[in-house]
Amino acid sequence: MTQYSLQQVLTQYPPNNFGLKLPLYQHKALDAITGCRTQKMGSHGQYCEQGHLCGVFYNSCRHRGCPQCQSVKREQWLADWSARLLDTQHHHWIFTCPHELLPLWRFNRAWFQGLLFKSVAETLKKLFADKQHLGVQAGFLLALHTWGRNLSDHPHIHCLMTHGGLDDAGKWQQPRSKSLLPAEVVKRMFRGKLIAKLKAGINKGELILPNAETSTTVINLLNKLGRVKWQIYACKPYNHGFGVAKYLARYMCGGALKNHQILKIKDGQVHFRYRDHRTKKMERSRYKIADFERQILRHLPLPNQQSMRYYGFYHPSQIARLNQARLSQGQAKYKTPSLPDWQAVMDKFGLTIDCAICEELERQAATDNKHTVVNSTRH
């Protein structure tokens, strides 16, 4: 069975051939992904302990959207955050905005992306700090995904947060409810903050409006959306946050689609598979090649924009506060872990490749064995 890859699709069917007009960052990403581990990226040598050259290998592109060369980065991030996470219950919530706002998202992605992070973070910070609910500082991280599993446009924020937090006196406080925060209150506050920020941006002229739209029509839409319920998915609490962190690590870099998901290219269409989060079953979908490439490139991470952000005592600058939380849970202080290198990652997934045997050492070993046999015979 032929194993397809995103690099193969983009190389054999260049997006420019379909008349796709790409912004500069997508051109750079396309150049990186198609050149990853090819002569275009240059090469490096591998040497034995005696300094003899054993092999020459092409370099990786290291682009965040490349599904071919991000395994080491994912494993390093996961190793670091596995050491940071408290060994206590965590919650996984997902914040989405109505699809009626997708035109605004597409025309103002960088601006909208920052707004989405701010709205979620401000909502959680305010409710965690409110003494009516908890009155604590919690630890949480937010991860942005812009796609659905079928590659549709579906911007949403994944949130991993601790079940409780530190009060002003530095003592750990548990929430009164198993659900951590009242979901309806969270929904209304998130909706209000996002709509208010969007309106402010429109009034200040900071947004590019979609074709045929005016500021009045967009504000009318926002008023309408302010009267309907928004969707927030609150998963059941987990005994530890590692499982969610491992899930997020798979999507934090490497793009919206992994190579093993591509099934075939037939009749001008790319067929791929994905796991539907509703049915929990593997489903299949297909796009015309041009539409497939458009969706892949659309979901690339923006340059100089973080896809994951950290808050509370999970922020990297709050190590002292994190240690205070760990000690309150009877856990050792955080120590910077040793991160796995590429060889350790290859070993973990059973992908270790035997390096070429150094010919000089092989000849030396053969000579030594020969002398040993001769000497043994003489004795």
Side-chain angles (χ1 to χ4, degrees):
M1 181 178 178
T2 304
Q3 178 61 57
Y4 293 93
S5 68
L6 179 61
Q7 183 184 55
Q8 179 183 351
V9 176
L10 296 174
T11 302
Q12 292 185 359
Y13 307 94
N16 292 334
N17 291 357
F18 299 103
L20 298 181
K21 296 181 179 180
L22 309 178
L24 180 60
Y25 82 93
Q26 291 185 5
H27 274 293
K28 290 182 177 180
L30 185 63
D31 190 54
I33 294 171
T34 55
C36 184
R37 295 178 182 172
T38 68
Q39 186 177 5
K40 184 178 181 180
M41 287 292 163
S43 60
H44 62 277
Q46 185 171 355
Y47 296 82
C48 72
E49 295 178 355
Q50 304 299 321
H52 303 128
L53 181 65
C54 295
V56 178
F57 305 90
Y58 291 127
N59 297 328
S60 300
C61 70
R62 299 184 181 181
H63 192 278
R64 285 190 292 167
C66 179
Q68 184 168 259
C69 65
Q70 292 296 299
S71 296
V72 175
K73 187 175 181 180
R74 282 196 299 270
E75 290 300 316
Q76 289 175 341
W77 179 88
L78 187 59
D80 182 36
W81 277 92
S82 297
R84 291 176 186 266
L85 289 174
L86 289 177
D87 187 9
T88 187
Q89 277 193 336
H90 281 71
H91 294 258
H92 178 205
W93 287 29
I94 304 170
F95 293 77
T96 64
C97 56
H99 280 199
E100 289 86 346
L101 295 177
L102 283 179
L104 271 181
W105 165 268
R106 293 178 184 133
F107 276 77
N108 306 273
R109 179 175 161 185
W111 189 90
F112 205 142
Q113 172 174 318
L115 194 72
L116 200 55
F117 272 115
K118 286 181 181 178
S119 299
V120 175
E122 289 178 5
T123 297
L124 294 176
K125 283 182 179 179
K126 185 172 183 178
L127 291 177
F128 272 120
D130 190 338
K131 295 186 183 300
Q132 182 180 352
H133 300 297
L134 281 163
V136 300
Q137 180 195 43
F140 58 100
L141 63 90
L142 305 182
L144 171 71
H145 291 171
T146 66
W147 61 88
R149 296 188 182 184
N150 61 353
L151 296 184
S152 61
D153 292 343
H154 180 53
H156 57 283
I157 295 279
H158 289 266
C159 177
L160 175 64
M161 48 192 172
T162 54
H163 185 73
L166 294 173
D167 61 15
D168 295 337
K171 295 182 179 180
W172 187 267
Q173 299 295 335
Q174 291 286 106
R176 302 181 185 92
S177 171
K178 290 183 179 180
S179 61
L180 185 63
L181 295 171
E184 290 303 320
V185 175
V186 175
K187 290 179 184 180
R188 290 196 297 269
M189 186 174 291
F190 168 63
R191 179 186 64 188
K193 286 185 176 294
L194 186 58
I195 288 178
K197 293 180 187 299
L198 285 170
K199 287 182 178 180
I202 292 172
N203 292 331
K204 293 177 182 178
E206 296 176 344
L207 276 78
I208 299 174
L209 299 181
N211 298 331
E213 295 287 353
T214 65
S215 58
T216 301
T217 58
V218 175
I219 288 177
N220 287 339
L221 172 63
L222 293 174
N223 289 335
K224 179 181 177 182
L225 293 176
R227 296 190 293 268
V228 300
K229 286 188 176 183
W230 287 24
Q231 189 66 256
I232 292 179
Y233 182 64
C235 303
K236 294 181 179 179
Y238 296 84
N239 290 330
H240 194 281
F242 178 76
V244 179
K246 187 176 181 180
Y247 168 80
L248 296 178
R250 292 201 299 267
Y251 295 94
M252 67 169 291
C253 51
L257 198 74
K258 303 300 181 283
N259 287 333
H260 66 83
Q261 293 180 253
I262 302 176
L263 299 174
K264 60 183 178 180
I265 304 172
K266 184 178 181 181
D267 300 328
Q269 294 182 325
V270 179
H271 299 245
F272 63 94
R273 62 185 176 186
Y274 64 95
R275 184 177 177 83
D276 191 286
H277 70 278
R278 299 183 187 87
T279 64
K280 308 300 181 184
K281 296 180 180 180
M282 295 301 297
E283 305 287 349
R284 296 191 177 197
S285 186
R286 60 186 177 181
Y287 281 95
K288 292 181 179 179
I289 294 176
D291 294 334
F292 173 81
E293 294 180 337
R294 182 185 292 109
Q295 289 303 107
I296 289 292
L297 295 173
R298 179 178 285 175
H299 296 309
L300 288 172
L302 296 179
N304 304 316
Q305 294 283 333
Q306 294 176 322
S307 297
M308 301 192 79
R309 302 186 185 183
Y310 315 96
Y311 302 87
F313 53 71
Y314 277 161
H315 192 278
S317 67
Q318 298 292 314
I319 297 299
R321 192 69 168 164
L322 172 63
N323 285 333
Q324 196 173 14
R326 294 181 68 87
L327 290 175
S328 70
Q329 295 288 298
Q331 299 168 31
K333 291 184 177 181
Y334 166 76
K335 292 183 179 179
T336 304
S338 58
L339 302 182
D341 57 14
W342 68 270
Q343 291 174 314
V345 174
M346 295 283 280
D347 290 340
K348 177 179 178 179
F349 293 103
L351 300 174
T352 303
I353 300 175
D354 292 334
C355 297
I357 298 176
C358 175
E359 294 181 359
E360 290 292 332
L361 291 180
E362 192 176 35
R363 283 195 292 269
Q364 183 64 42
T367 302
D368 292 344
N369 289 337
K370 184 178 180 181
H371 288 166
T372 300
V373 172
V374 171
N375 293 333
S376 175
T377 304
R378 289 176 179 175
H379 284 297

